[in-house]
Amino acid sequence: MVEISTSILTVKEGEEAETFFALEKARTDYFHIDVMDGKFVEKDTYQKMMEYSSYIRRISNLPMDVHLMVEDIKKGIEDFSSVEPNVITFHLEACKNEEEVMENIKKIKEMGAKVGISVKPNTPIEEVYQYLPYIHICLVMTVEPGKGGQTLITDMIDKIATLKKYIEQNNLETDIEVDGGINLKTVQRVKSAGANILVAGTAILAGTDYSIIINELKNS
Ligand code: DX5
Ligand code: ZN
């Protein structure tokens, strides 16, 4: 069964608390926290996501899935460890070298969180292979990171399938998470390609009864 990670990036101002309560009631598997520093991507959501994730941690025990779209990954890991995330994902493209990637993996594990590495659409999937044995999740971006409400880039379907094949051929246990433009039109293709954690923001928050759309995404 796939898991749903609801991105809170596009939560309506002034409706944050009721949205977070409603998402908890709808039993989203994760809250997906999109942390942007205004450098790795244009938008800066850093402070806002710090506030939102602290609030969510106070009202809910549901897992948090922190997606760091930042240049200073070390700082992001330190700052967001305060909300005890279940997963912290950083971008391969923000790391200078292998050593830095391995340091980030170690730092996240020392914090007791699961480790994710994310790759942007133009990054060849082969670049993440060497790290797969050490991480829990590979987050395949199905849009260019930086904002919600975009359309899934269909070339990413093959990329997911290639990753899934490599994971199976090498007897690895790495989860495949997909992020961007996931909705009832695209969910079946990403699932059959091998994704087992689906991030959705617009598709869920645009609805009124979140449990209906979450279940439809799960059971499609
Ligand atoms: C984009 C974020 C995604 C985005 C997903 O940079 O990483 O999590 O918010 O939003 P939707 O589901 O609206 O594409
Ligand atoms: Zn994200």
Side-chain angles (χ1 to χ4, degrees):
M1 173 63 93
V2 297
E3 293 182 301
I4 303 296
S5 184
T6 305
S7 162
I8 61 167
L9 182 65
T10 53
V11 65
K12 285 194 193 75
E13 300 268 319
E15 296 178 7
E16 295 89 345
E18 65 188 89
T19 302
F20 301 152
F21 276 107
L23 282 171
E24 183 185 48
K25 195 155 160 269
R27 308 301 298 158
T28 183
D29 293 296
Y30 297 87
F31 288 96
H32 184 81
I33 314 292
D34 280 314
V35 182
M36 302 174 186
D37 64 356
K39 295 182 202 131
F40 183 72
V41 290
E42 203 181 314
K43 256 169 103 104
D44 182 346
T45 66
Y46 206 92
Q47 199 42 45
K48 191 160 79 167
M49 288 302 149
M50 194 75 245
E51 285 156 23
Y52 286 175
S53 52
S54 309
Y55 181 82
I56 289 170
R57 184 44 78 230
R58 283 202 303 277
I59 64 148
S60 172
N61 289 326
L62 287 185
M64 267 190 278
D65 164 30
V66 172
H67 177 194
L68 295 176
M69 288 162 274
V70 302
E71 282 183 359
D72 188 346
I73 297 169
K74 233 164 125 279
K75 180 177 182 306
I77 295 169
E78 280 155 13
D79 290 346
F80 281 83
S81 59
S82 60
V83 297
E84 293 165 21
N86 303 72
V87 182
I88 297 191
T89 297
F90 60 92
H91 270 264
L92 192 57
E93 301 89 356
C95 297
K96 285 183 288 305
N97 51 43
E98 277 178 37
E99 196 190 334
E100 187 186 339
V101 176
M102 294 310 287
E103 264 163 38
N104 290 332
I105 291 172
K106 183 166 169 287
K107 200 168 175 60
I108 294 169
K109 285 184 177 177
E110 281 165 357
M111 259 184 38
K114 286 186 175 179
V115 185
I117 291 183
S118 183
V119 285
K120 298 201 304 190
N122 292 338
T123 300
I125 195 63
E126 293 75 16
E127 290 190 17
V128 80
Y129 285 174
Q130 67 184 87
Y131 304 111
L132 293 177
Y134 309 101
I135 64 175
H136 301 86
I137 297 173
C138 179
L139 174 57
V140 179
M141 291 306 296
T142 40
V143 296
E144 199 57 37
K147 60 180 188 317
Q150 299 178 77
T151 305
L152 180 135
I153 301 168
T154 44
D155 289 357
M156 295 301 109
I157 305 289
D158 281 349
K159 189 172 180 179
I160 298 162
T162 306
L163 174 62
K164 181 68 180 170
K165 195 158 151 245
Y166 181 86
I167 287 170
E168 284 173 341
Q169 282 174 344
N170 290 274
N171 298 316
L172 295 165
E173 312 264 314
T174 326
D175 286 326
I176 301 177
E177 183 173 6
V178 288
D179 186 2
I182 304 299
N183 52 45
L184 291 178
K185 280 200 298 298
T186 57
V187 63
Q188 277 169 342
R189 277 180 289 161
V190 296
K191 275 164 74 170
S192 42
N196 65 304
I197 304 175
L198 315 178
V199 177
T202 308
I204 294 174
L205 298 186
T208 41
D209 184 331
Y210 299 142
S211 54
I212 293 177
I213 176 71
I214 285 173
N215 288 325
E216 281 177 347
L217 287 168
K218 274 192 175 196
N219 302 320
S220 289

